[in-house]
Amino acid sequence: MPKKSENEIKVVNVRLVKEPSLYSTKEVTSPEAVMEVVASELKNYDREVFAILNLKMNSKPINLHICSVGTLDAAMINPREAFKAIILSNAASFICIHNHPSGNCEPSPADIAVTERMVRCGELMGIKMLDHIIIAAETGEQASFLRKGLLDGMRSRDDYTSEWER
């Protein structure tokens, strides 16, 4: 057996591992369609959960990646963690989704800041962020950043027109 060098570089593999399906493969072309796909799951958590819905070119979901499970009023999210699954899924676009256990679905300043970071990171990699949706606990009420006009001004490019935004 050869002696290991002190300068040895370990070889690692990063893989996307599929978990049992919780969500449908229904095409999502609006915030309302996202609600049909994931709201029933996220509205029941007693802590904030931040997830990414990865989409194919035809707007069909590839998977839902739960990036962070937080506390009663916060879920820490770093774009690096979110983009691992986005890239490994070979997603053409993605939608950020998180819940508010308080039942209030209005975006907080922290929600707006993380949305802007995710938009910018997506632009750097050529992966479109279509929306950020907040789901209120118990009621399942939603707030869409796109519908509220909160994505206006966050994007530096004008090539984001899609079926999603019409």
Side-chain angles (χ1 to χ4, degrees):
M1 182 175 249
K3 183 180 175 186
K4 292 184 179 181
S5 165
E6 65 181 66
N7 295 325
E8 177 183 10
I9 298 174
K10 295 187 189 293
V11 176
V12 298
N13 290 304
V14 178
R15 296 182 183 156
L16 183 67
V17 178
K18 291 184 180 182
E19 296 290 334
S21 295
L22 296 173
Y23 311 100
S24 77
T25 57
K26 179 180 177 179
E27 188 174 324
V28 289
T29 56
S30 69
E32 296 75 25
V34 171
M35 287 296 294
E36 291 175 25
V37 174
V38 299
S40 62
E41 177 70 20
L42 291 183
K43 74 179 186 177
N44 295 320
Y45 284 87
D46 64 347
R47 293 170 282 167
E48 275 203 22
V49 174
F50 192 98
I52 300 289
L53 184 63
N54 292 305
L55 303 171
K56 298 177 185 178
M57 288 294 295
N58 62 2
S59 297
K60 288 191 178 177
I62 300 168
N63 56 45
L64 182 82
H65 175 232
I66 295 179
C67 304
S68 175
V69 177
T71 63
L72 186 61
D73 62 351
M76 242 175 98
I77 182 65
N78 186 309
R80 176 185 59 213
E81 301 307 316
F83 277 93
K84 279 184 200 177
I86 294 168
I87 292 167
L88 288 171
S89 298
N90 200 27
S93 58
F94 66 97
I95 299 166
C96 294
I97 307 164
H98 83 278
N99 67 326
H100 278 180
S102 67
N104 176 358
C105 65
E106 286 304 308
S108 70
D111 295 336
I112 293 168
V114 78
T115 301
E116 188 162 12
R117 285 184 75 199
M118 293 296 290
V119 166
R120 299 275 186 242
C121 290
E123 285 182 342
L124 285 172
M125 290 186 257
I127 306 169
K128 299 175 185 178
M129 179 174 160
L130 299 178
D131 203 350
H132 183 167
I133 297 173
I134 300 172
I135 299 170
E138 297 177 12
T139 66
E141 185 182 351
Q142 71 167 352
S144 161
F145 278 57
L146 179 69
R147 294 271 195 265
K148 288 180 166 288
L150 295 173
L151 293 180
D152 298 345
M154 287 187 188
R155 296 175 174 155
S156 62
R157 299 188 322 220
D158 294 328
D159 63 349
Y160 276 94
T161 303
S162 68
E163 290 300 316
W164 178 264
E165 299 183 49
R166 292 184 186 141

